Amino acid sequence: MDYKSEYLHPQYEALSREELQKLQLERLQATVQHCMNSPFYKARFEQCGLKPEDIQSLDDIRKIPFTTKQDLRDTYPFGMASVPLTKCVRLHSSSGTTGNPTVILHTQKDLDEWANAVARCLWMVGLRPDDVFQNSSGYGMFTGGLGFQYGAERLGALTVPAAAGNSLRQIKFIKDFGTTAIHAVPSYVTRLYEVMQQEGVDPRRDTKLKVLAIGAEPHSEEQRKRIEDMLGVKAYNSFGMSEMCGPGVGFECKEQNGLHFWEDYYIVEIVDPETLEPVPDGEIGELVLTTLNREAMPLLRYRTRDLTRVLGRTCPCGRNHIRLDRMKGRSDDMMVLRGVNIFPIQIEKILMQFDELASNYLITLTTDDDNDNMTVEVELEKFDDDYAKLQKLEKEIRRRLKDEILLTPFVKLVPKGTLPVSEGKAVRVVDKRKVYQ
Ligand code: ADP
Ligand code: ZN
């Protein structure tokens, strides 16, 4: 490994667009051919009369039908596999609140490639074998645990598999082991900082932290800035999903100008979720991903339901891998209140602009006297018993929220530490509305 190199995999990271596209076509053709071994895809191809030879250009990807989460559920547990189970060495399963869970199978080669992808992301933001990497993700089925673990080991860092929760222990590890980099969900970083404050630990003075990888849940630019200010480090957005292995799919480079999605691993499409037609660069649509180097369970044109847009295909960092905007949320995170479409992230963006407010908030939807209402509870940074001041602040928050979401929610300011904190992904919305059929 060349410590000084900007790239961990220059042979892939530094490809020109033409070279990338050539590689993508070769890999797409091989993937479609390989999918003939999957009972699910074989039947799909037969249904629509698609043959592997029909893929002659990257545009031909549009001949392939989309794959959905429902397809994964319908073929639960192993109906999508493209290799015999004896070749598989691990599976990850997501619980899913309705219906069957989903399963993603991996061969040893898949796990190796996944580790390479995560290592590449961490290297890109400056991690090297002399770094100490602490992972505060849950381990087990949640892919943020093992995904980052193997990635950081592959890079050669000293890894601390701290797992989720137990903030006092996390802080002790950070200090005792000289942790330089942490991976955590953004909502947990703010919690960790609160405990540091309670314990009189100043991250700038008492730790060697320099890099954070934050992801696994939607967060706003404002939230990122807050996290960077709290800990005095750079925080890089990390995107992943179990269906695409887990972390390592998209990651910001040091420019922090969007997520580079690795195009030697995936073909990225952004489509209109209604018409399923591609949208022009810059327009928001649903992210659709095709795996290009997966053995056990390739997925073709997988509808992620995540909403984003293309920001560019070049970058001052020298990588031509596509840059996507931070996720706006999933199409199923969208709240429809009195006919208005609202994403939780829009509310977060406004709240985080108030210095008086801490980072934890909860949105509750209710039906009162046949009217649907939204209440935004948000924690105050500091306790304040000046009622008039709080009322003024509440009013100002409501006004700013109305400008953003076009509806006026109720706003409740609550003391710090009163809203629930989850160890994994934050729960931001509770929907208690009556459902009319
Ligand atoms: P589940 O599907 O059960 O939520 P995953 O861990 O596979 O479990 O979650 C993947 C999803 O998490 C993505 O589809 C996306 O909605 C969200 N996600 C992951 N990383 C980010 C990120 N950096 N920004 C916004 N959303 C993210
Ligand atoms: Zn870049």
Side-chain angles (χ1 to χ4, degrees), residues 69 93-97 102 141-144 186 214-219 236-247 250 259 287 302 304-307 325-333 345 425:
K69 190 151 197 143
S93 172
S94 89
S95 50
T97 40
T102 57
M141 286 299 185
F142 179 56
T143 54
I214 50 171
E217 65 186 15
H219 54 287
Y236 297 98
N237 190 357
S238 154
F239 175 88
M241 63 192 322
S242 314
E243 296 91 322
M244 298 293 134
C245 290
L259 298 143
L287 172 67
Y302 182 71
T304 66
R305 294 177 296 171
D306 286 309
L307 299 171
D325 204 355
R326 60 175 62 251
M327 301 296 138
K328 200 174 160 194
R330 277 187 177 185
S331 46
D332 35 1
D333 288 339
I345 210 78
K425 300 187 188 214

Side-chain angles (χ1 to χ4, degrees), residues 122 125 133 148 181-186 189 211-215 234-238 251:
L122 294 174
V125 296
F133 176 84
F148 269 102
I182 295 186
H183 166 249
V185 291
V189 182
V211 172
L212 286 184
I214 50 171
K234 286 276 176 203
Y236 297 98
N237 190 357
S238 154
F251 213 91

Side-chain angles (χ1 to χ4, degrees), residues 22 253 307 376:
K22 186 166 167 280
C253 68
L307 299 171
V376 179

Side-chain angles (χ1 to χ4, degrees), residues 124 253-255 257 260 315-319 323:
M124 176 165 73
C253 68
K254 286 184 182 165
E255 303 289 330
N257 57 358
H260 279 292
C315 182
C317 78
R319 293 172 183 85
R323 281 186 295 115

Side-chain angles (χ1 to χ4, degrees), residues 64 83 89 125 135 164 172 237 248 259 275 319 370 374 382 394 410 420:
I64 306 173
V83 299
V89 297
V125 296
N135 189 10
K172 184 169 166 53
N237 190 357
L259 298 143
T275 64
R319 293 172 183 85
D370 285 343
M374 175 190 289
K382 282 207 191 73
E394 234 174 57
F410 297 112

